[in-house]
Amino acid sequence: MKEILSALKKYIVSTDKMLLLAIMACSTISCIMLYSIAANGLVDKVDYGDFRTQLVASCLGLGVVVVLSVIDYNRIIRLWWLYAPIAVGLVLLTFTSLGYRRAGADDQAWLSIAGFQLQPSELLKLAFILSFSYHVAKDEENMNKFSHMCLLCLHALVPIMLVALQGDYGTAIVFVFIFSAIMLTARIALRYIIAAAIAIPALCIVAWNFLLSEMHKARILVLIHPGTDPLGLEYQQDLGLAALANGGIFGKGLFGTEGYVSVPEMHNDLIFSYIGQVWGLIGALLVLALLTFIVLRTLTNMLKCKNAQGRFICVGTFGMFFAHCLINIGMVLKFMPVIGVPLPFLSAGGTAVVCMYVAVGLVNSTRCHNTRKYRVFYDAEPEE
């Protein structure tokens, strides 16, 4: 019993308690919001089942964080050959009869297996963070050789193109953020950064003319020319802005339907608008502060890592969280098009919530395992 208590004490000391408290606070807020939406009957397709799913996913995710924190991330990352093909295979299944398009979505990015709904691209994000971190860490000394740089870019291009072919351009952008964050943290030569900066405008022109559908082009154009389609493409974002403004300074409260603005996706992609409506500017700023802390804390954990693999896992997770927050809140504030990117730990969705917790577990593992042996169970000297 003494050994168990000693191990538990060391675990509590080594784990990132502030990060865990922040994500648990976000999950609590999410469950409260979903319960409120269901109780108020503001969205027809939202009921107490969504609240229960979110609660179960959050509890399961917290357990996953604890388990992953105990496992050495250096062992996890070396298993890329196992989980990366599985994640890619699941995404490929969305192109078969098992894949389906959710109501109101533009992308066929979901699987329905034995009554369970799964979004494989969320798993692919985790697999990419781990496998790409391992690839760059192993190849960092040679990465600026042209052939090696081509292989790294090809590694990133595979998941980006897969999700783009699904029609999920939002997730494709998230992969670009992860790739960019890791590459900029590695020893990439300035010439490649300059080349990328020059190539980006050309790539945007190619994407506009050959990749984007007319619907996606229209969503971008209405941001440049607001008010041109208020009853169509702008309708949901205008409702989101109205809901956000409707809360005023202190909000309208969690329960009661009088004077509330109903937004079709207020439980999911536009949940930030509902937070602003029920808790006002004060509540919205509180949530923004929590998300900012999570994003920055993920990045600063990189400073405690003892090897490149751990640093890249932290910065890759930072890139994912930052992209999700930027794009999602940008959608609500109408400076980003609606591209279906959830707000971390807050938007409804079992797969996304659990995967976000897995990412935090991996970051926490890099913090706990910053010695040659796991500090909770061994007294070891730091790695040189």
Side-chain angles (χ1 to χ4, degrees):
M1 179 62 70
K2 181 184 287 188
E3 289 79 5
I4 294 175
L5 291 175
S6 176
L8 181 61
K9 181 180 178 180
K10 289 182 178 180
Y11 173 78
I12 294 174
V13 168
S14 63
T15 195
D16 191 342
K17 296 174 285 295
M18 296 301 294
L19 179 59
L20 294 182
L21 286 173
I23 63 173
M24 289 168 63
C26 284
S27 289
T28 301
I29 292 170
S30 175
C31 291
I32 292 172
M33 293 301 121
L34 292 175
Y35 188 90
S36 173
I37 293 171
N40 292 335
L42 293 173
V43 181
D44 292 337
K45 61 183 177 181
V46 177
D47 55 25
Y48 293 109
D50 296 275
F51 158 73
R52 289 190 290 269
T53 298
Q54 195 79 349
L55 181 62
V56 170
S58 299
C59 292
L60 177 61
L62 187 60
V64 170
V65 170
V66 175
V67 172
L68 287 176
S69 301
V70 174
I71 302 172
D72 189 343
Y73 71 95
N74 290 295
R75 296 184 178 182
I76 298 173
I77 203 170
R78 293 191 192 104
L79 294 175
W80 65 267
W81 54 269
L82 177 62
Y83 49 74
I86 291 174
V88 171
L90 288 172
V91 172
L92 289 174
L93 284 178
T94 63
F95 297 99
T96 69
S97 58
L98 294 175
Y100 75 97
R101 189 187 307 269
R102 297 186 74 181
D106 300 326
D107 55 326
Q108 184 170 311
W110 290 81
L111 291 177
S112 181
I113 302 175
F116 291 95
Q117 296 179 352
L118 176 69
Q119 190 174 10
S121 59
E122 296 295 332
L123 302 175
L124 189 60
K125 290 176 193 172
L126 298 173
F128 178 66
I129 289 173
L130 288 169
S131 62
F132 195 66
S133 296
Y134 185 74
H135 188 171
V136 176
K138 288 295 183 183
D139 211 23
E140 194 173 11
E141 295 295 332
N142 299 309
M143 64 179 293
N144 290 309
K145 295 179 180 178
F146 183 74
S147 59
H148 290 255
M149 184 58 65
C150 287
L151 289 174
L152 288 170
C153 291
L154 181 62
H155 187 155
L157 192 61
V158 170
I160 292 171
M161 291 306 298
L162 277 177
V163 296
L165 288 172
Q166 288 179 325
D168 190 356
Y169 295 111
T171 299
I173 293 172
V174 173
F175 277 105
V176 172
F177 270 82
I178 296 170
F179 168 76
S180 301
I182 293 175
M183 293 296 281
L184 289 173
T185 307
R187 300 174 184 176
I188 185 172
L190 181 60
R191 64 180 181 273
Y192 290 114
I193 298 175
I194 295 173
I198 294 172
I200 286 173
L203 291 174
C204 290
I205 293 172
V206 171
W208 182 268
N209 288 292
F210 300 104
L211 297 178
L212 295 181
S213 66
E214 292 302 319
M215 175 66 72
H216 288 97
K217 291 179 183 179
R219 285 182 176 177
I220 296 171
L221 289 173
V222 295
L223 298 179
I224 301 172
H225 306 288
T228 55
D229 191 17
L231 299 179
L233 294 171
E234 294 181 87
Y235 182 67
Q236 185 161 266
Q237 282 183 295
D238 287 342
L239 283 178
L241 278 174
L244 192 64
N246 192 40
I249 301 296
F250 300 105
K252 299 184 69 65
L254 288 168
F255 302 105
T257 57
E258 185 177 352
Y260 281 63
V261 177
S262 178
V263 186
E265 293 295 328
M266 67 193 326
H267 64 298
N268 194 1
D269 294 342
L270 298 178
I271 195 167
F272 188 70
S273 67
Y274 189 67
I275 292 171
Q277 182 163 213
V278 300
W279 282 350
L281 178 64
I282 302 299
L285 290 177
L286 172 64
V287 169
L288 277 176
L290 279 171
L291 291 171
T292 301
F293 177 81
I294 291 170
V295 170
L296 294 180
R297 187 76 171 190
T298 302
L299 183 63
T300 56
N301 268 309
M302 175 184 68
L303 303 176
K304 296 182 178 293
C305 297
K306 299 298 181 180
N307 61 23
Q309 294 176 172
R311 291 195 296 273
F312 295 148
I313 288 174
C314 290
V315 78
T317 304
F318 157 79
M320 179 175 72
F321 286 166
F322 178 77
H324 272 261
C325 293
L326 177 67
I327 296 170
N328 183 277
I329 294 175
M331 290 190 299
V332 176
L333 298 180
K334 206 176 176 182
F335 66 81
M336 295 286 287
V338 177
I339 47 179
V341 175
L343 195 59
F345 308 105
L346 289 159
S347 294
T351 307
V353 170
V354 173
C355 287
M356 290 290 175
Y357 271 95
V358 171
V360 171
L362 293 170
V363 170
N364 205 35
S365 178
T366 68
R367 183 185 178 98
C368 292
H369 296 82
N370 57 8
T371 59
R372 195 174 300 277
K373 292 184 179 180
Y374 188 23
R375 293 192 307 165
V376 171
F377 300 110
Y378 299 93
D379 292 321
E381 294 299 323
E383 286 185 326
E384 298 178 358

